[in-house]
Amino acid sequence: ILAFIANAVIVLHGGSSIYKVIFACQVAFYFCAAVGFLLEQSKLRVKALFVPYYFCMMNYAVIAGIRRYMLKKQTVIWEKAKRK
């Protein structure tokens, strides 16, 4: 997220063409992730779009887990699964 924002600032302030190319690739990647999300909601999986979506969701899960741990809402202790 920070790399995307930093790259956007560089591009908006007239950065070199390499930053514009990288920013265009980032935008395309996140667009593919958004389309992958929409397709996942409709129970369709296109591998080319599912990979960016999965990558973004895993990073979101890591950030959410760190946030829960920092707010003391998540423990690091594993609980044994209940068996039937």
Side-chain angles (χ1 to χ4, degrees):
I1 296 170
L2 293 176
F4 182 78
I5 293 169
N7 203 8
V9 170
I10 291 170
V11 168
L12 290 175
H13 287 20
S16 69
S17 60
I18 187 71
Y19 290 108
K20 293 175 184 175
V21 170
I22 293 170
F23 185 69
C25 291
Q26 286 176 309
V27 169
F29 179 82
Y30 289 122
F31 178 77
C32 288
V35 172
F37 170 74
L38 294 174
L39 290 176
E40 178 73 17
Q41 297 301 311
S42 62
K43 305 294 184 211
L44 296 172
R45 284 195 178 163
V46 177
K47 283 189 180 185
L49 301 175
F50 185 71
V51 171
Y53 163 67
Y54 186 77
F55 176 81
C56 291
M57 290 307 294
M58 290 300 103
N59 281 297
Y60 170 75
V62 168
I63 292 169
I66 291 170
R67 181 179 174 272
R68 279 196 309 263
Y69 178 73
M70 297 299 245
L71 295 174
K72 308 288 187 208
K73 293 181 180 180
Q74 179 78 31
T75 65
V76 294
I77 301 171
W78 287 59
E79 295 181 17
K80 190 173 184 179
K82 294 180 182 178
R83 296 184 186 230
K84 293 181 181 182

Short mmCIF file of all heavy atoms in Angstrom, two decimals, residues 2-58:
data_model
loop_
_atom_site.label_atom_id
_atom_site.label_comp_id
_atom_site.label_asym_id
_atom_site.label_seq_id
_atom_site.Cartn_x
_atom_site.Cartn_y
_atom_site.Cartn_z
N LEU A 2 1.89 1.22 0.84
CA LEU A 2 2.78 2.39 0.91
C LEU A 2 3.56 2.58 -0.38
O LEU A 2 3.77 3.72 -0.82
CB LEU A 2 3.73 2.25 2.10
CG LEU A 2 3.09 2.31 3.47
CD1 LEU A 2 4.12 2.07 4.56
CD2 LEU A 2 2.37 3.62 3.69
N ALA A 3 3.97 1.49 -1.01
CA ALA A 3 4.70 1.61 -2.28
C ALA A 3 3.79 2.20 -3.36
O ALA A 3 4.23 3.02 -4.17
CB ALA A 3 5.21 0.24 -2.72
N PHE A 4 2.52 1.80 -3.37
CA PHE A 4 1.57 2.34 -4.33
C PHE A 4 1.38 3.84 -4.12
O PHE A 4 1.41 4.62 -5.08
CB PHE A 4 0.24 1.60 -4.21
CG PHE A 4 -0.79 2.05 -5.19
CD1 PHE A 4 -0.74 1.63 -6.51
CD2 PHE A 4 -1.83 2.88 -4.80
CE1 PHE A 4 -1.70 2.03 -7.42
CE2 PHE A 4 -2.79 3.29 -5.71
CZ PHE A 4 -2.73 2.87 -7.02
N ILE A 5 1.19 4.24 -2.88
CA ILE A 5 0.99 5.66 -2.57
C ILE A 5 2.25 6.47 -2.91
O ILE A 5 2.15 7.54 -3.52
CB ILE A 5 0.60 5.84 -1.09
CG1 ILE A 5 -0.79 5.23 -0.86
CG2 ILE A 5 0.61 7.31 -0.69
CD1 ILE A 5 -1.18 5.10 0.59
N ALA A 6 3.41 5.95 -2.52
CA ALA A 6 4.65 6.66 -2.81
C ALA A 6 4.87 6.80 -4.31
O ALA A 6 5.28 7.86 -4.80
CB ALA A 6 5.83 5.94 -2.17
N ASN A 7 4.58 5.74 -5.05
CA ASN A 7 4.75 5.79 -6.49
C ASN A 7 3.76 6.77 -7.12
O ASN A 7 4.10 7.48 -8.06
CB ASN A 7 4.59 4.39 -7.09
CG ASN A 7 5.27 4.26 -8.42
OD1 ASN A 7 5.99 5.15 -8.87
ND2 ASN A 7 5.06 3.15 -9.07
N ALA A 8 2.54 6.84 -6.60
CA ALA A 8 1.55 7.79 -7.11
C ALA A 8 2.02 9.22 -6.89
O ALA A 8 1.90 10.07 -7.78
CB ALA A 8 0.21 7.56 -6.43
N VAL A 9 2.59 9.49 -5.72
CA VAL A 9 3.11 10.83 -5.43
C VAL A 9 4.24 11.18 -6.38
O VAL A 9 4.30 12.30 -6.92
CB VAL A 9 3.56 10.93 -3.95
CG1 VAL A 9 4.32 12.22 -3.70
CG2 VAL A 9 2.36 10.82 -3.03
N ILE A 10 5.14 10.24 -6.62
CA ILE A 10 6.26 10.47 -7.54
C ILE A 10 5.74 10.77 -8.94
O ILE A 10 6.20 11.70 -9.60
CB ILE A 10 7.22 9.27 -7.54
CG1 ILE A 10 7.95 9.18 -6.20
CG2 ILE A 10 8.23 9.39 -8.68
CD1 ILE A 10 8.75 7.89 -6.02
N VAL A 11 4.78 9.99 -9.41
CA VAL A 11 4.23 10.18 -10.76
C VAL A 11 3.52 11.53 -10.86
O VAL A 11 3.67 12.24 -11.85
CB VAL A 11 3.29 9.02 -11.13
CG1 VAL A 11 2.48 9.33 -12.38
CG2 VAL A 11 4.10 7.74 -11.32
N LEU A 12 2.75 11.88 -9.83
CA LEU A 12 2.03 13.16 -9.86
C LEU A 12 2.96 14.36 -9.82
O LEU A 12 2.60 15.43 -10.30
CB LEU A 12 1.05 13.23 -8.69
CG LEU A 12 -0.15 12.29 -8.78
CD1 LEU A 12 -0.98 12.35 -7.52
CD2 LEU A 12 -1.00 12.64 -10.00
N HIS A 13 4.14 14.19 -9.29
CA HIS A 13 5.10 15.29 -9.22
C HIS A 13 6.11 15.24 -10.37
O HIS A 13 7.19 15.82 -10.27
CB HIS A 13 5.81 15.30 -7.88
CG HIS A 13 4.95 15.77 -6.74
ND1 HIS A 13 3.58 15.78 -6.78
CD2 HIS A 13 5.26 16.27 -5.52
CE1 HIS A 13 3.10 16.24 -5.65
NE2 HIS A 13 4.10 16.55 -4.86
N GLY A 14 5.78 14.54 -11.43
CA GLY A 14 6.60 14.55 -12.63
C GLY A 14 7.81 13.63 -12.58
O GLY A 14 8.87 13.99 -13.09
N GLY A 15 7.66 12.45 -12.00
CA GLY A 15 8.76 11.50 -11.94
C GLY A 15 9.12 10.98 -13.33
O GLY A 15 8.43 11.22 -14.32
N SER A 16 10.22 10.27 -13.41
CA SER A 16 10.68 9.77 -14.70
C SER A 16 9.72 8.71 -15.26
O SER A 16 8.83 8.23 -14.56
CB SER A 16 12.09 9.18 -14.57
OG SER A 16 12.05 7.99 -13.82
N SER A 17 9.92 8.34 -16.50
CA SER A 17 9.00 7.43 -17.16
C SER A 17 9.01 6.03 -16.55
O SER A 17 8.00 5.33 -16.62
CB SER A 17 9.31 7.36 -18.65
OG SER A 17 10.62 6.89 -18.84
N ILE A 18 10.10 5.61 -15.93
CA ILE A 18 10.13 4.29 -15.30
C ILE A 18 9.12 4.22 -14.15
O ILE A 18 8.46 3.20 -13.96
CB ILE A 18 11.56 3.90 -14.82
CG1 ILE A 18 11.58 2.45 -14.33
CG2 ILE A 18 12.05 4.80 -13.72
CD1 ILE A 18 11.45 1.44 -15.43
N TYR A 19 8.96 5.32 -13.41
CA TYR A 19 7.97 5.34 -12.33
C TYR A 19 6.55 5.29 -12.89
O TYR A 19 5.66 4.68 -12.29
CB TYR A 19 8.15 6.58 -11.45
CG TYR A 19 9.40 6.54 -10.63
CD1 TYR A 19 10.49 7.36 -10.93
CD2 TYR A 19 9.53 5.67 -9.55
CE1 TYR A 19 11.65 7.31 -10.18
CE2 TYR A 19 10.68 5.61 -8.79
CZ TYR A 19 11.73 6.44 -9.12
OH TYR A 19 12.89 6.39 -8.38
N LYS A 20 6.35 5.90 -14.04
CA LYS A 20 5.03 5.86 -14.68
C LYS A 20 4.70 4.44 -15.14
O LYS A 20 3.56 3.99 -14.99
CB LYS A 20 4.98 6.84 -15.85
CG LYS A 20 5.07 8.28 -15.39
CD LYS A 20 5.13 9.25 -16.55
CE LYS A 20 5.31 10.67 -16.02
NZ LYS A 20 5.50 11.64 -17.08
N VAL A 21 5.68 3.74 -15.67
CA VAL A 21 5.47 2.36 -16.10
C VAL A 21 5.17 1.47 -14.90
O VAL A 21 4.24 0.66 -14.93
CB VAL A 21 6.69 1.84 -16.89
CG1 VAL A 21 6.59 0.34 -17.13
CG2 VAL A 21 6.85 2.60 -18.20
N ILE A 22 5.94 1.63 -13.84
CA ILE A 22 5.73 0.83 -12.63
C ILE A 22 4.36 1.13 -12.03
O ILE A 22 3.64 0.22 -11.61
CB ILE A 22 6.86 1.06 -11.61
CG1 ILE A 22 8.17 0.50 -12.15
CG2 ILE A 22 6.52 0.44 -10.26
CD1 ILE A 22 9.39 0.87 -11.33
N PHE A 23 3.98 2.40 -12.02
CA PHE A 23 2.68 2.77 -11.49
C PHE A 23 1.55 2.18 -12.34
O PHE A 23 0.56 1.68 -11.79
CB PHE A 23 2.54 4.29 -11.41
CG PHE A 23 1.27 4.74 -10.75
CD1 PHE A 23 1.06 4.54 -9.40
CD2 PHE A 23 0.28 5.37 -11.49
CE1 PHE A 23 -0.12 4.94 -8.79
CE2 PHE A 23 -0.90 5.78 -10.89
CZ PHE A 23 -1.09 5.57 -9.54
N ALA A 24 1.70 2.19 -13.65
CA ALA A 24 0.70 1.59 -14.53
C ALA A 24 0.58 0.09 -14.25
O ALA A 24 -0.53 -0.45 -14.25
CB ALA A 24 1.05 1.85 -15.99
N CYS A 25 1.69 -0.57 -14.02
CA CYS A 25 1.66 -2.00 -13.68
C CYS A 25 0.97 -2.23 -12.34
O CYS A 25 0.20 -3.19 -12.19
CB CYS A 25 3.08 -2.57 -13.66
SG CYS A 25 3.85 -2.67 -15.27
N GLN A 26 1.22 -1.35 -11.38
CA GLN A 26 0.56 -1.49 -10.08
C GLN A 26 -0.95 -1.31 -10.22
O GLN A 26 -1.73 -2.06 -9.64
CB GLN A 26 1.10 -0.46 -9.09
CG GLN A 26 2.48 -0.78 -8.58
CD GLN A 26 3.01 0.33 -7.68
OE1 GLN A 26 2.98 1.50 -8.07
NE2 GLN A 26 3.47 -0.05 -6.51
N VAL A 27 -1.36 -0.30 -10.99
CA VAL A 27 -2.78 -0.06 -11.20
C VAL A 27 -3.42 -1.27 -11.89
O VAL A 27 -4.50 -1.72 -11.49
CB VAL A 27 -3.01 1.23 -12.01
CG1 VAL A 27 -4.46 1.35 -12.46
CG2 VAL A 27 -2.60 2.45 -11.19
N ALA A 28 -2.76 -1.81 -12.88
CA ALA A 28 -3.28 -2.99 -13.59
C ALA A 28 -3.39 -4.18 -12.64
O ALA A 28 -4.38 -4.93 -12.68
CB ALA A 28 -2.38 -3.33 -14.77
N PHE A 29 -2.40 -4.37 -11.78
CA PHE A 29 -2.42 -5.48 -10.83
C PHE A 29 -3.60 -5.35 -9.87
O PHE A 29 -4.35 -6.31 -9.66
CB PHE A 29 -1.11 -5.51 -10.04
CG PHE A 29 -1.05 -6.60 -9.02
CD1 PHE A 29 -0.71 -7.89 -9.39
CD2 PHE A 29 -1.35 -6.35 -7.69
CE1 PHE A 29 -0.65 -8.92 -8.45
CE2 PHE A 29 -1.30 -7.36 -6.74
CZ PHE A 29 -0.95 -8.64 -7.13
N TYR A 30 -3.81 -4.16 -9.31
CA TYR A 30 -4.91 -3.98 -8.37
C TYR A 30 -6.26 -4.02 -9.07
O TYR A 30 -7.26 -4.45 -8.48
CB TYR A 30 -4.73 -2.70 -7.56
CG TYR A 30 -3.59 -2.82 -6.57
CD1 TYR A 30 -2.51 -1.94 -6.61
CD2 TYR A 30 -3.58 -3.82 -5.61
CE1 TYR A 30 -1.46 -2.08 -5.72
CE2 TYR A 30 -2.53 -3.96 -4.72
CZ TYR A 30 -1.48 -3.07 -4.78
OH TYR A 30 -0.44 -3.22 -3.90
N PHE A 31 -6.31 -3.61 -10.33
CA PHE A 31 -7.54 -3.75 -11.11
C PHE A 31 -7.86 -5.23 -11.31
O PHE A 31 -9.01 -5.64 -11.14
CB PHE A 31 -7.40 -3.04 -12.46
CG PHE A 31 -8.61 -3.17 -13.32
CD1 PHE A 31 -9.75 -2.42 -13.07
CD2 PHE A 31 -8.63 -4.06 -14.38
CE1 PHE A 31 -10.89 -2.55 -13.86
CE2 PHE A 31 -9.76 -4.21 -15.17
CZ PHE A 31 -10.89 -3.45 -14.92
N CYS A 32 -6.85 -6.02 -11.64
CA CYS A 32 -7.05 -7.47 -11.79
C CYS A 32 -7.51 -8.09 -10.47
O CYS A 32 -8.36 -8.98 -10.46
CB CYS A 32 -5.77 -8.14 -12.27
SG CYS A 32 -5.37 -7.79 -13.99
N ALA A 33 -6.96 -7.62 -9.36
CA ALA A 33 -7.37 -8.13 -8.05
C ALA A 33 -8.84 -7.79 -7.78
O ALA A 33 -9.59 -8.62 -7.26
CB ALA A 33 -6.48 -7.56 -6.95
N ALA A 34 -9.26 -6.58 -8.14
CA ALA A 34 -10.65 -6.18 -7.94
C ALA A 34 -11.59 -7.01 -8.81
O ALA A 34 -12.65 -7.46 -8.35
CB ALA A 34 -10.82 -4.69 -8.25
N VAL A 35 -11.21 -7.25 -10.06
CA VAL A 35 -12.03 -8.09 -10.94
C VAL A 35 -12.05 -9.52 -10.40
O VAL A 35 -13.09 -10.18 -10.42
CB VAL A 35 -11.51 -8.03 -12.39
CG1 VAL A 35 -12.23 -9.04 -13.27
CG2 VAL A 35 -11.66 -6.62 -12.95
N GLY A 36 -10.91 -10.00 -9.90
CA GLY A 36 -10.86 -11.33 -9.29
C GLY A 36 -11.79 -11.44 -8.10
O GLY A 36 -12.46 -12.46 -7.91
N PHE A 37 -11.88 -10.38 -7.31
CA PHE A 37 -12.80 -10.34 -6.18
C PHE A 37 -14.24 -10.43 -6.66
O PHE A 37 -15.04 -11.20 -6.11
CB PHE A 37 -12.58 -9.06 -5.36
CG PHE A 37 -13.63 -8.82 -4.32
CD1 PHE A 37 -13.65 -9.56 -3.16
CD2 PHE A 37 -14.61 -7.85 -4.51
CE1 PHE A 37 -14.62 -9.36 -2.19
CE2 PHE A 37 -15.59 -7.64 -3.56
CZ PHE A 37 -15.59 -8.39 -2.39
N LEU A 38 -14.58 -9.66 -7.67
CA LEU A 38 -15.95 -9.67 -8.19
C LEU A 38 -16.31 -11.04 -8.78
O LEU A 38 -17.43 -11.53 -8.58
CB LEU A 38 -16.12 -8.59 -9.25
CG LEU A 38 -16.01 -7.15 -8.72
CD1 LEU A 38 -16.05 -6.16 -9.89
CD2 LEU A 38 -17.11 -6.85 -7.71
N LEU A 39 -15.35 -11.66 -9.47
CA LEU A 39 -15.61 -12.99 -10.03
C LEU A 39 -15.73 -14.03 -8.92
O LEU A 39 -16.53 -14.96 -9.02
CB LEU A 39 -14.50 -13.37 -11.01
CG LEU A 39 -14.49 -12.60 -12.32
CD1 LEU A 39 -13.29 -13.01 -13.17
CD2 LEU A 39 -15.77 -12.80 -13.09
N GLU A 40 -14.94 -13.88 -7.86
CA GLU A 40 -15.03 -14.81 -6.72
C GLU A 40 -16.40 -14.71 -6.06
O GLU A 40 -16.96 -15.72 -5.63
CB GLU A 40 -13.92 -14.49 -5.71
CG GLU A 40 -13.94 -15.34 -4.47
CD GLU A 40 -13.48 -16.77 -4.70
OE1 GLU A 40 -12.85 -17.04 -5.74
OE2 GLU A 40 -13.76 -17.62 -3.84
N GLN A 41 -16.95 -13.51 -6.00
CA GLN A 41 -18.28 -13.33 -5.41
C GLN A 41 -19.35 -14.04 -6.24
O GLN A 41 -20.36 -14.48 -5.70
CB GLN A 41 -18.62 -11.84 -5.29
CG GLN A 41 -17.70 -11.08 -4.36
CD GLN A 41 -17.70 -11.62 -2.97
OE1 GLN A 41 -18.74 -11.84 -2.37
NE2 GLN A 41 -16.51 -11.87 -2.43
N SER A 42 -19.13 -14.14 -7.54
CA SER A 42 -20.09 -14.82 -8.41
C SER A 42 -19.69 -16.28 -8.65
O SER A 42 -20.18 -16.91 -9.57
CB SER A 42 -20.24 -14.08 -9.73
OG SER A 42 -19.01 -14.07 -10.43
N LYS A 43 -18.78 -16.78 -7.82
CA LYS A 43 -18.34 -18.19 -7.84
C LYS A 43 -17.61 -18.60 -9.11
O LYS A 43 -17.63 -19.74 -9.51
CB LYS A 43 -19.53 -19.13 -7.61
CG LYS A 43 -20.33 -18.85 -6.38
CD LYS A 43 -19.54 -19.10 -5.13
CE LYS A 43 -20.45 -18.89 -3.92
NZ LYS A 43 -19.76 -18.42 -2.78
N LEU A 44 -16.95 -17.65 -9.76
CA LEU A 44 -16.12 -17.93 -10.92
C LEU A 44 -14.66 -17.71 -10.54
O LEU A 44 -14.35 -16.74 -9.86
CB LEU A 44 -16.48 -17.03 -12.09
CG LEU A 44 -17.87 -17.18 -12.68
CD1 LEU A 44 -18.12 -16.09 -13.69
CD2 LEU A 44 -18.00 -18.54 -13.34
N ARG A 45 -13.80 -18.60 -11.00
CA ARG A 45 -12.38 -18.44 -10.71
C ARG A 45 -11.58 -18.46 -12.00
O ARG A 45 -11.48 -19.48 -12.66
CB ARG A 45 -11.87 -19.54 -9.79
CG ARG A 45 -12.27 -19.34 -8.37
CD ARG A 45 -11.47 -20.22 -7.45
NE ARG A 45 -11.86 -19.96 -6.08
CZ ARG A 45 -11.60 -20.75 -5.09
NH1 ARG A 45 -10.94 -21.86 -5.29
NH2 ARG A 45 -11.97 -20.45 -3.88
N VAL A 46 -11.05 -17.32 -12.35
CA VAL A 46 -10.14 -17.21 -13.48
C VAL A 46 -8.75 -17.09 -12.88
O VAL A 46 -8.47 -16.13 -12.16
CB VAL A 46 -10.49 -15.97 -14.34
CG1 VAL A 46 -9.50 -15.81 -15.48
CG2 VAL A 46 -11.91 -16.07 -14.85
N LYS A 47 -7.90 -18.08 -13.12
CA LYS A 47 -6.61 -18.13 -12.44
C LYS A 47 -5.79 -16.86 -12.61
O LYS A 47 -5.15 -16.39 -11.68
CB LYS A 47 -5.79 -19.33 -12.90
CG LYS A 47 -6.25 -20.62 -12.30
CD LYS A 47 -5.29 -21.73 -12.62
CE LYS A 47 -5.80 -23.03 -12.00
NZ LYS A 47 -4.86 -24.11 -12.16
N ALA A 48 -5.83 -16.27 -13.80
CA ALA A 48 -5.05 -15.06 -14.05
C ALA A 48 -5.51 -13.91 -13.17
O ALA A 48 -4.72 -13.02 -12.83
CB ALA A 48 -5.14 -14.67 -15.52
N LEU A 49 -6.77 -13.91 -12.77
CA LEU A 49 -7.30 -12.85 -11.91
C LEU A 49 -7.38 -13.27 -10.46
O LEU A 49 -7.42 -12.43 -9.56
CB LEU A 49 -8.67 -12.41 -12.41
CG LEU A 49 -8.71 -11.87 -13.83
CD1 LEU A 49 -10.13 -11.59 -14.25
CD2 LEU A 49 -7.84 -10.64 -13.97
N PHE A 50 -7.41 -14.58 -10.21
CA PHE A 50 -7.50 -15.06 -8.84
C PHE A 50 -6.17 -14.88 -8.10
O PHE A 50 -6.17 -14.59 -6.91
CB PHE A 50 -7.91 -16.54 -8.83
CG PHE A 50 -8.12 -17.08 -7.45
CD1 PHE A 50 -9.22 -16.69 -6.71
CD2 PHE A 50 -7.22 -17.96 -6.88
CE1 PHE A 50 -9.43 -17.17 -5.43
CE2 PHE A 50 -7.42 -18.45 -5.60
CZ PHE A 50 -8.53 -18.05 -4.88
N VAL A 51 -5.06 -14.99 -8.80
CA VAL A 51 -3.75 -14.85 -8.15
C VAL A 51 -3.56 -13.45 -7.57
O VAL A 51 -3.19 -13.31 -6.40
CB VAL A 51 -2.61 -15.25 -9.12
CG1 VAL A 51 -1.26 -14.90 -8.55
CG2 VAL A 51 -2.68 -16.73 -9.44
N PRO A 52 -3.81 -12.35 -8.32
CA PRO A 52 -3.68 -11.03 -7.69
C PRO A 52 -4.67 -10.83 -6.55
O PRO A 52 -4.33 -10.24 -5.52
CB PRO A 52 -3.98 -10.06 -8.83
CG PRO A 52 -3.80 -10.82 -10.08
CD PRO A 52 -4.06 -12.24 -9.75
N TYR A 53 -5.89 -11.35 -6.71
CA TYR A 53 -6.89 -11.24 -5.64
C TYR A 53 -6.41 -11.97 -4.39
O TYR A 53 -6.48 -11.44 -3.28
CB TYR A 53 -8.23 -11.81 -6.13
CG TYR A 53 -9.21 -12.12 -5.04
CD1 TYR A 53 -9.77 -11.11 -4.28
CD2 TYR A 53 -9.56 -13.43 -4.75
CE1 TYR A 53 -10.67 -11.40 -3.27
CE2 TYR A 53 -10.46 -13.73 -3.76
CZ TYR A 53 -11.01 -12.71 -3.01
OH TYR A 53 -11.89 -13.00 -2.00
N TYR A 54 -5.92 -13.19 -4.55
CA TYR A 54 -5.44 -13.99 -3.43
C TYR A 54 -4.26 -13.30 -2.75
O TYR A 54 -4.18 -13.25 -1.53
CB TYR A 54 -5.04 -15.37 -3.94
CG TYR A 54 -4.65 -16.33 -2.85
CD1 TYR A 54 -5.61 -16.94 -2.07
CD2 TYR A 54 -3.31 -16.63 -2.61
CE1 TYR A 54 -5.26 -17.83 -1.06
CE2 TYR A 54 -2.96 -17.51 -1.60
CZ TYR A 54 -3.93 -18.10 -0.85
OH TYR A 54 -3.57 -18.97 0.15
N PHE A 55 -3.34 -12.75 -3.54
CA PHE A 55 -2.18 -12.04 -2.99
C PHE A 55 -2.64 -10.86 -2.12
O PHE A 55 -2.15 -10.69 -1.00
CB PHE A 55 -1.29 -11.54 -4.13
CG PHE A 55 -0.13 -10.71 -3.68
CD1 PHE A 55 1.02 -11.31 -3.20
CD2 PHE A 55 -0.18 -9.33 -3.73
CE1 PHE A 55 2.09 -10.55 -2.78
CE2 PHE A 55 0.88 -8.56 -3.30
CZ PHE A 55 2.03 -9.17 -2.83
N CYS A 56 -3.59 -10.09 -2.62
CA CYS A 56 -4.08 -8.94 -1.85
C CYS A 56 -4.83 -9.38 -0.60
O CYS A 56 -4.67 -8.77 0.47
CB CYS A 56 -4.98 -8.08 -2.73
SG CYS A 56 -4.08 -7.22 -4.03
N MET A 57 -5.62 -10.44 -0.69
CA MET A 57 -6.35 -10.91 0.48
C MET A 57 -5.42 -11.47 1.55
O MET A 57 -5.66 -11.27 2.73
CB MET A 57 -7.39 -11.96 0.07
CG MET A 57 -8.55 -11.39 -0.71
SD MET A 57 -9.38 -10.00 0.09
CE MET A 57 -10.07 -10.79 1.51
N MET A 58 -4.37 -12.13 1.14
CA MET A 58 -3.41 -12.65 2.12
C MET A 58 -2.68 -11.51 2.83
O MET A 58 -2.46 -11.56 4.04
CB MET A 58 -2.40 -13.59 1.46
CG MET A 58 -2.98 -14.90 1.01
SD MET A 58 -3.68 -15.87 2.36
CE MET A 58 -5.42 -15.60 2.13
#
